[in-house]
Amino acid sequence: MAYCMGFAGYSGSGKTTLVTQLVVEMKRRGFRVAVIKHDAHGHYKEAAGADSTLFIEAGADAVVTISPNQVNHVVKQQNTDLQEELKAYTHVDYIFVEGFKMEKHPKIAVFRTIEQSEIIPRLDPKPVAIATDLNNHHLEYIALDLNDICSVADFVEQFFVVSPF
């Protein structure tokens, strides 16, 4: 069974950078990792420097980008569903999900500015932690240093040891 951890934030918040670095670290630790990215606006393109390309270059064993009308590993379909895609990757240890703010998996809110921190109340369910490089103004959440990838990886590993997810 794969553990699923989401990373949610606004554009420019550092989600892709964080997930890319986390893939590298978790692979270094010997884990099999998949990444599923939400492409809510349907802008997906396979190109050098694209998010999915960065995840593959970081060593992800699988990368799926879900858009409104297609899943890229390329399967055209209507009514794409994150839960169905998660079932296809039970052979990996971790699935990192970028986006999908309203899905029910555990997620970490990612932000770099006070304005971007407004993502926190928009998440359902509430985030299990926040990852930021700001001073923590959200004391009710576990705060992870966005720039300390080892600490983020440690949190993800420990979360599933003590969590019912």
Side-chain angles (χ1 to χ4, degrees):
M1 178 182 101
Y3 295 118
C4 176
M5 179 62 74
F7 297 86
Y10 296 120
S11 181
S13 63
K15 298 181 308 292
T16 298
T17 300
L18 177 62
V19 172
T20 300
Q21 292 172 345
L22 191 56
V23 166
V24 171
E25 179 59 22
M26 296 306 266
K27 293 294 291 178
R28 187 191 69 74
R29 295 179 183 200
F31 295 110
R32 293 166 297 164
V33 179
V35 178
I36 297 178
K37 178 182 172 56
H38 191 206
D39 178 27
H41 304 292
H43 296 141
Y44 176 84
K45 63 182 179 302
E46 190 65 43
D51 294 349
S52 57
T53 304
L54 293 174
F55 299 141
I56 289 292
E57 290 172 352
D61 296 296
V63 174
V64 177
T65 302
I66 300 177
S67 300
N69 298 312
Q70 69 183 12
V71 174
N72 288 86
H73 59 155
V74 176
V75 175
K76 296 274 186 176
Q77 67 186 55
Q78 297 296 314
N79 302 317
T80 57
D81 179 70
L82 176 62
Q83 297 307 314
E84 286 301 312
E85 286 301 312
L86 291 174
K87 291 176 188 174
Y89 295 95
T90 58
H91 63 284
V92 300
D93 300 303
Y94 291 95
I95 302 170
F96 299 137
V97 177
E98 184 180 325
F100 290 100
K101 295 175 185 76
M102 303 314 285
E103 292 285 337
K104 299 303 180 196
H105 59 276
K107 50 188 89 68
I108 296 171
V110 182
F111 56 91
R112 291 189 178 278
T113 67
I114 295 295
E115 293 78 23
Q116 290 174 343
S117 74
E118 293 302 315
I119 191 66
I120 295 171
R122 299 197 62 213
L123 298 178
D124 181 28
K126 71 180 191 167
V128 298
I130 61 174
T132 184
D133 50 9
L134 296 176
N135 290 332
N136 186 10
H137 298 287
H138 301 278
L139 299 176
E140 66 273 25
Y141 295 99
I142 295 169
L144 305 170
D145 183 342
L146 189 57
N147 301 307
D148 183 354
I149 198 62
C150 289
S151 292
V152 175
D154 291 343
F155 173 81
V156 170
E157 279 191 79
Q158 288 303 306
F159 177 81
F160 292 106
V161 169
V162 298
S163 174
F165 279 98

